[in-house]
Amino acid sequence: MRTLAWSQLRFRVGRSVALLLGIILAVTAFTVLTAASRTSQLRTVGTVTANFRPAYDILVRPRGTRTQLESATGTVQPNFLSGIYGGITLAQYHQIQQISGVQVAAPVAMVGFALLDAPVPVRLPAAEAARPGRQLYRYSTTWVSAGGRTRIPQPASFLYTTPSRLGETRTGATTEVLAGGRQVPACDGTLAPDGSPFSLAGQSAISCWSRVNGGGPGNEDTLTLTPRHPGLIVDWPFPMLIAAVDPVAEARLDGLGHAVTAGRYLNQDDGPGTVPFAGGSRVISFPVLAASGTDIGESASTQVQQLADPARPPELSLAQLRRDATAPGRTVLTTTVSADQAYQQLLAQMRNKVDPYVHTLIGAYWSAGPTRYRRAGQGRLTPLPVGNPAAVWRQGQTERYAGMDNADRQYRALVKHIPASEETDDGIFQIPAPRLVGVFDPARILPFDRLSRVPLGVYQRAAEAPADPASRQALGGADLLPTLNLGGYVSQPAQLITTLKALPVLENSIFSGDVHARDPISVIRVRVAGVTGPDPVSLERIKEVAQQIAVRTRLDVDIVAGSSPRPTVISLPMGRYGQPPLQLTEGWVKKGVAVAILTAVDKKSVVLFLLILVVCALFVANSATAAVRGRRSELGVLAGAGWTRPRLFGTVLGELASIGLTAGVLGGLASLPLSAALGLPVSAVRALLAVPAAVVLAVAAGAVPAWLAARAEPAASIQPPVRMARRGHRARTVTGLALINVLRTPGRSLIGAISLAAGTAALTLIAAITVAFRGAIVGSLLGDAVAVQVRGVDYVAVAATVVLGVLAVADVLFLNIRERSAELATMRAFGWGEPALTRLIVAEGTIIGLAGSAAGAALGLAAAAQFAGQLPGRVILAAAATAGTGTLVTIVAALLPAQLLRRLPTARLLAEE
């Protein structure tokens, strides 16, 4: 039996070599590709573990604050913290602190936006300052943002300069002291509001300046303006978001204490106090840390024009202003100030602890609601504009208005909070002022990896990147930044940080309309002790703490560990002042990305492993079956000579085992340099495992063919290898004949189709994951990073699987030609030309390839849907493209076996028949 097996290997070299090469290819591919799959899995796990933990593990919010969009998509918009004002009590906060496993519980109480004026001085040119007599100037400011596309003109204001001294009446009205000591009203008169805060009546002002005593008694010098250097003031109404924190918890969570660049950090005892005010009185104050810079992307361009010299001090009347606003003038100055320059002026004003007139008072503050969206096509979101009434801009009882930016389109509903009373209490005015204790740099706050950054970062920089070339061009290649528009789409981060102890200054005790005096906390960010990564123990710890918080407080609790920003396209509508429609990329946060990725990569590794194993086994089984079928006559003769079935089974299986052993050794040796070239860690021990794997694979794949060989009958030696069907089918076309031929050997055709289906399924799955999905697997920054990291390795594995599948189909066609050689010779004798026979073989390959590719694409779609829970249209298109590609490659591969037709010995085959 051994001699017979060895002789078969020696004298049937062609089929033995083909089988040997098939097993070598399968074993080498299996060794290398399983190593590649394991490497990609380890890389993925490493990346996910390194980026698993964000700033905090659990987010606690008031009940009912999850939006419908968040519930539907599992994503959280990055700027909605400013839309949550209270809802959690201090008692609930202390309950969370006492829960076992809570390492840090850091609350944030969002107060709202205060409009703090930053007065920026603009000095007249020296030549204008030296002009004699009375002068009247008109100045107009244009507020520029969105890369210069938004230009909002502010109604003109006026500056009156005089060589006379300025005085004031007992009521504080400004007068001009004429020759002889007579005083006449100057810059006097009050414009009645006309209902619009952005009209000439709402925005225009007139200021007087004396070359003797500047702005009048007590105002001889204002900033850099002096009697000899007159000028005007451009007010920047900065929307400053105020947030209250627990200083100790905040420092432990994100290192805010280490970000202080001037002054000192907040402490637990910092609370309400007083600061000096006009006339020796005082105003109530609260401690703040102020941001060292601003994210507002805006500039103010101011043009100053000289008008006709006034004969007398001008009066402030709407009619006069309307005439002067359009009167011809001579331009004497044009200057531009950036938001950062103005903000530094605001900081300097807040640092001033002496001059009572430059203290920034909060006559009102505003809370801004969350942005609402409408879903657009391709996963895009369109924010819905809102209309805020004109009355919302009046700032307390002083009737001051907000800046011109608020006339632009707005996306957040505003609620105004004003002092219940401005009366004094023991000489202290009940209008609060921020008391600056320190300045912090947001860039110095403890950084967290961008792949796992979570929303609700109080100090997180707000910016929207352009998502298409048109938007990038419109914004000049820059991001869309916040503006002075309090209800604009891009929200400002918190720039004034105070303490929980100071909250009563901004609650019901002073301000009316505040309903959260008893539950001021907006969110609580919780870090869990003992969390080391996405391991089961850490995940269970986080889950246990989250469950306890939910049970004890009945608040909304979300696990954000393992989250990652997910770029979402925002379709921003056209603005009212030149901003075109924009497509912006915003970093929404997808919850649970890390766990989903690890689950998906485990499934993907198992699927690829099984597909590789199936294709390799089918390839070897097909080769082994072909070897047995080629020896049908010989095995029938041996059976007639008295060989028993076990002996025949052992002989065939021994041949396959010998070939498997040889192939295992050669395949293991080949896998070492190939793996090194691909950068894959395949050790000598792993390569050595290819030997028993090859033997097992050959024996397992050859078991069925060997069993069939053992059942060989003596009559098989004289029977044709392909039997005629019981009922004939007349084929009218080459395609019809090809279909009949495929069905004549259903087992072999099925092996080829299944082999190709496995490769196509793998290709469809990987294409769906890395190209089309915007869900749990990719689409987030962490998912994209993982996809980029493992994509090359996965495609190498998939490509090899597809190649094995295509080779299996080609082998099926090759065997069909060998077994039907007499039939093909007869067809040639009856007039079938070479092109017609080639079309027949290619058609058979096309049928097998189309069936395998379609089945594989369907299987890949099912696996992709199982991984991501959805099937977007792009995934279906990708699957269709994959099926088409598989079919096309099979057609090309079918041309190789078709070349065998030219070598068929027609005369000899017909003589044998």
Side-chain angles (χ1 to χ4, degrees), residues 143 145-146 149-153 196-198 384-390 393 403-412 414 483 485 487-488 572-582:
W143 302 91
S145 59
R149 301 305 295 268
T150 297
R151 305 182 66 88
I152 306 177
S196 172
F198 311 111
L384 301 178
V386 300
N388 288 301
W393 304 118
M404 282 301 299
D405 284 72
N406 294 286
D408 204 351
R409 199 176 296 277
Q410 297 189 314
Y411 299 92
R412 293 178 289 166
L414 303 175
T483 67
N485 187 349
L572 192 67
M574 178 184 298
R576 292 172 179 166
Y577 294 93
Q579 174 238 300
L582 297 174

XYZ file of all heavy atoms in Angstrom, residues 143 145-146 149-153 196-198 384-390 393 403-412 414 483 485 487-488 572-582:
353
model
N -19.332 95.297 12.315
C -18.879 94.098 13.035
C -18.688 92.972 12.024
O -19.626 92.589 11.322
C -19.891 93.717 14.107
C -20.105 94.839 15.084
C -21.030 95.834 15.014
C -19.333 95.096 16.254
N -20.895 96.694 16.078
C -19.862 96.263 16.861
C -18.255 94.463 16.872
C -19.343 96.799 18.040
C -17.735 94.991 18.031
C -18.273 96.141 18.615
N -17.305 89.095 10.955
C -17.034 87.737 11.446
C -17.202 86.755 10.289
O -17.405 87.160 9.142
C -17.985 87.382 12.606
O -19.328 87.468 12.190
N -17.130 85.442 10.603
C -17.298 84.363 9.611
C -16.353 84.562 8.429
O -16.755 84.507 7.271
C -18.749 84.266 9.137
N -17.252 87.226 5.848
C -18.500 87.140 5.076
C -19.662 87.806 5.787
O -20.598 88.282 5.149
C -18.833 85.673 4.772
C -17.759 84.950 3.994
C -17.406 85.658 2.690
N -18.522 85.657 1.774
C -18.735 84.727 0.851
N -17.877 83.728 0.730
N -19.774 84.793 0.038
N -19.665 87.804 7.125
C -20.716 88.487 7.882
C -20.239 89.892 8.224
O -19.205 90.068 8.869
C -21.052 87.727 9.169
O -21.578 86.440 8.835
C -22.091 88.489 9.994
N -20.989 90.891 7.785
C -20.650 92.296 8.040
C -21.928 92.992 8.505
O -22.854 93.202 7.730
C -20.086 92.969 6.790
C -18.882 92.224 6.197
C -18.315 92.959 4.993
N -17.738 94.249 5.376
C -16.486 94.403 5.773
N -15.679 93.343 5.864
N -16.021 95.594 6.103
N -21.955 93.339 9.792
C -23.153 93.922 10.387
C -22.873 95.400 10.679
O -22.085 95.717 11.577
C -23.551 93.195 11.681
C -23.684 91.684 11.416
C -24.844 93.762 12.242
C -24.000 90.883 12.644
N -23.502 96.322 9.948
C -23.264 97.752 10.210
C -24.076 98.231 11.408
O -25.260 97.924 11.539
C -23.726 98.424 8.915
C -24.757 97.487 8.358
C -24.349 96.099 8.774
N -37.283 98.615 18.502
C -36.234 97.759 17.958
C -34.916 98.083 18.643
O -34.482 99.237 18.636
C -36.092 97.971 16.448
O -34.955 97.274 15.970
N -34.267 97.096 19.213
C -32.979 97.368 19.885
C -31.840 97.593 18.901
O -30.739 97.934 19.314
C -32.754 96.109 20.711
C -33.470 95.039 19.964
C -34.673 95.679 19.354
N -32.078 97.376 17.598
C -31.003 97.465 16.613
C -31.203 98.631 15.641
O -30.546 98.700 14.614
C -30.896 96.144 15.842
C -30.868 94.943 16.747
C -31.930 94.061 16.779
C -29.790 94.725 17.587
C -31.911 92.967 17.629
C -29.763 93.637 18.438
C -30.820 92.745 18.465
N -32.487 74.745 13.658
C -33.719 75.501 13.421
C -33.595 76.883 14.058
O -33.356 77.002 15.263
C -34.915 74.754 14.020
C -35.141 73.335 13.481
C -36.315 72.689 14.198
C -35.385 73.363 11.979
N -33.755 77.962 13.267
C -33.681 79.318 13.824
C -34.833 79.586 14.786
O -35.903 78.971 14.706
C -33.772 80.216 12.579
C -33.428 79.323 11.426
C -33.917 77.965 11.808
N -34.603 80.496 15.711
C -35.635 80.923 16.656
C -35.741 82.440 16.582
O -34.822 83.131 16.141
C -35.305 80.483 18.102
C -35.195 78.985 18.210
C -34.012 81.139 18.581
N -36.880 82.958 17.023
C -37.088 84.399 17.085
C -37.194 84.861 18.525
O -38.125 84.465 19.241
N -36.243 85.672 18.963
C -36.275 86.215 20.313
C -36.885 87.616 20.276
O -36.521 88.438 19.424
C -34.863 86.278 20.902
C -34.327 84.904 21.251
O -34.913 84.187 22.055
N -33.217 84.515 20.629
N -37.817 87.925 21.193
C -38.487 89.231 21.169
C -37.518 90.362 21.500
O -36.497 90.167 22.163
C -39.567 89.084 22.240
C -39.045 88.028 23.159
C -38.279 87.073 22.299
N -37.863 91.559 21.043
C -37.008 92.722 21.278
C -36.842 93.000 22.766
O -35.793 93.484 23.217
C -37.578 93.944 20.565
N -33.721 92.111 25.095
C -32.416 92.763 25.062
C -32.288 93.900 26.061
O -31.185 94.358 26.332
C -32.123 93.296 23.655
C -32.220 92.221 22.629
C -33.085 92.173 21.582
C -31.449 91.034 22.565
N -32.902 91.024 20.856
C -31.897 90.298 21.436
C -30.425 90.499 23.335
C -31.358 89.077 21.081
C -29.887 89.287 22.978
C -30.341 88.584 21.864
N -25.503 94.028 21.734
C -24.793 94.453 20.541
C -25.512 94.084 19.263
O -26.483 93.311 19.245
N -24.991 94.632 18.153
C -25.634 94.462 16.852
C -25.614 93.011 16.369
O -26.439 92.623 15.548
C -24.942 95.353 15.822
C -25.334 96.819 15.883
S -27.107 97.084 15.627
C -27.331 96.414 13.985
N -24.676 92.209 16.836
C -24.624 90.808 16.380
C -25.926 90.070 16.648
O -26.271 89.120 15.936
C -23.476 90.073 17.080
C -22.132 90.443 16.505
O -21.682 91.574 16.746
O -21.540 89.609 15.812
N -26.630 90.488 17.678
C -27.877 89.805 18.022
C -28.997 90.069 17.031
O -30.059 89.451 17.122
C -28.306 90.219 19.428
C -27.336 89.729 20.477
O -27.299 88.551 20.807
N -26.515 90.638 20.988
N -28.749 90.971 16.058
C -29.726 91.168 14.988
C -29.613 90.090 13.921
O -30.503 89.955 13.075
C -29.531 92.548 14.353
N -28.512 89.317 13.961
C -28.328 88.241 12.994
C -29.194 87.048 13.386
O -29.853 87.040 14.438
C -26.852 87.855 12.937
C -26.469 87.212 11.612
O -27.370 86.917 10.810
O -25.268 86.984 11.396
N -29.168 86.015 12.559
C -29.975 84.827 12.814
C -29.545 84.163 14.118
O -28.347 84.070 14.411
C -29.864 83.847 11.650
C -30.986 82.816 11.594
C -30.841 81.964 10.354
N -30.989 82.728 9.137
C -32.155 83.039 8.595
N -33.275 82.661 9.175
N -32.204 83.725 7.471
N -30.530 83.686 14.889
C -30.252 83.045 16.168
C -30.891 81.661 16.220
O -31.899 81.399 15.552
C -30.756 83.906 17.331
C -30.042 85.254 17.408
C -30.381 86.020 18.659
O -31.523 86.142 19.046
N -29.348 86.556 19.313
N -30.289 80.789 17.039
C -30.701 79.386 17.086
C -31.014 78.910 18.497
O -31.313 77.731 18.684
C -29.599 78.503 16.483
C -29.325 78.834 15.045
C -28.332 79.755 14.702
C -30.062 78.269 14.018
C -28.077 80.076 13.382
C -29.826 78.580 12.693
C -28.830 79.494 12.382
O -28.594 79.812 11.069
N -30.948 79.819 19.469
C -31.229 79.429 20.858
C -32.159 80.455 21.484
O -31.921 81.665 21.390
C -29.924 79.328 21.657
C -29.030 78.191 21.202
C -27.746 78.155 21.978
N -26.862 79.268 21.618
C -25.804 79.619 22.319
N -25.510 78.989 23.442
N -25.033 80.612 21.916
N -33.717 82.710 24.252
C -33.094 83.405 25.374
C -34.132 83.776 26.420
O -35.257 84.158 26.087
C -32.386 84.676 24.880
C -31.315 84.461 23.806
C -30.779 85.799 23.327
C -30.183 83.591 24.342
N -19.338 84.387 18.027
C -19.365 85.832 17.844
C -20.007 86.466 19.076
O -20.307 85.786 20.065
C -20.156 86.209 16.586
O -21.541 85.874 16.770
C -19.621 85.474 15.362
N -22.908 87.370 19.104
C -24.309 86.981 19.013
C -24.628 85.995 20.128
O -24.197 84.840 20.106
C -24.593 86.359 17.649
C -26.070 86.092 17.425
O -26.880 86.176 18.337
N -26.420 85.769 16.195
N -27.277 84.421 20.919
C -28.057 83.251 20.515
C -27.559 82.630 19.236
O -28.289 81.889 18.586
N -26.296 82.932 18.836
C -25.737 82.369 17.612
C -25.547 80.874 17.711
O -25.640 80.273 18.786
N -25.681 74.777 8.055
C -26.050 76.053 8.669
C -26.704 76.952 7.627
O -26.111 77.214 6.578
C -24.812 76.730 9.258
C -25.073 77.924 10.171
C -25.767 77.465 11.454
C -23.760 78.626 10.518
N -27.931 77.428 7.894
C -28.609 78.278 6.912
C -27.888 79.605 6.708
O -26.983 79.987 7.460
C -30.003 78.491 7.534
C -30.163 77.392 8.534
C -28.783 77.105 9.041
N -28.318 80.318 5.680
C -27.748 81.621 5.358
C -28.031 82.622 6.476
O -29.093 82.621 7.079
C -28.340 82.131 4.041
C -27.849 83.509 3.612
S -28.701 84.075 2.116
C -28.170 82.810 0.965
N -27.051 83.461 6.763
C -27.237 84.519 7.744
C -27.923 85.730 7.129
O -28.157 85.796 5.915
N -28.212 86.699 7.960
C -28.910 87.901 7.489
C -27.959 88.988 6.995
O -28.397 89.963 6.404
C -29.765 88.461 8.623
C -30.934 87.572 9.005
C -31.631 88.088 10.249
N -32.766 87.238 10.601
C -33.391 87.273 11.771
N -32.969 88.141 12.707
N -34.397 86.483 12.014
N -26.658 88.821 7.235
C -25.713 89.887 6.912
C -24.535 89.378 6.086
O -23.409 89.802 6.280
C -25.212 90.554 8.190
C -26.304 91.303 8.925
C -27.037 90.682 9.927
C -26.610 92.616 8.611
C -28.049 91.360 10.600
C -27.619 93.299 9.272
C -28.331 92.671 10.260
O -29.337 93.336 10.905
N -24.814 88.478 5.162
C -23.786 88.076 4.207
C -23.226 86.687 4.378
O -22.567 86.175 3.458
N -23.433 86.069 5.521
C -22.897 84.712 5.691
C -23.660 83.746 4.783
O -24.874 83.628 4.898
C -23.010 84.266 7.141
C -22.601 82.806 7.376
C -23.697 81.961 7.992
O -24.155 82.254 9.088
N -24.136 80.943 7.293
N -22.965 83.046 3.862
C -23.661 82.109 2.968
C -24.024 80.831 3.701
O -23.560 80.595 4.823
C -22.611 81.849 1.877
C -21.312 82.000 2.596
C -21.519 83.083 3.622
N -24.847 79.982 3.102
C -25.086 78.661 3.710
C -23.766 77.910 3.838
O -22.934 77.916 2.934
C -26.033 77.972 2.711
C -26.669 79.087 1.953
C -25.647 80.178 1.862
N -23.572 77.262 4.974
C -22.306 76.591 5.261
C -22.539 75.135 5.629
O -23.553 74.793 6.242
C -21.576 77.293 6.411
C -21.144 78.749 6.189
C -20.582 79.331 7.477
C -20.129 78.854 5.066
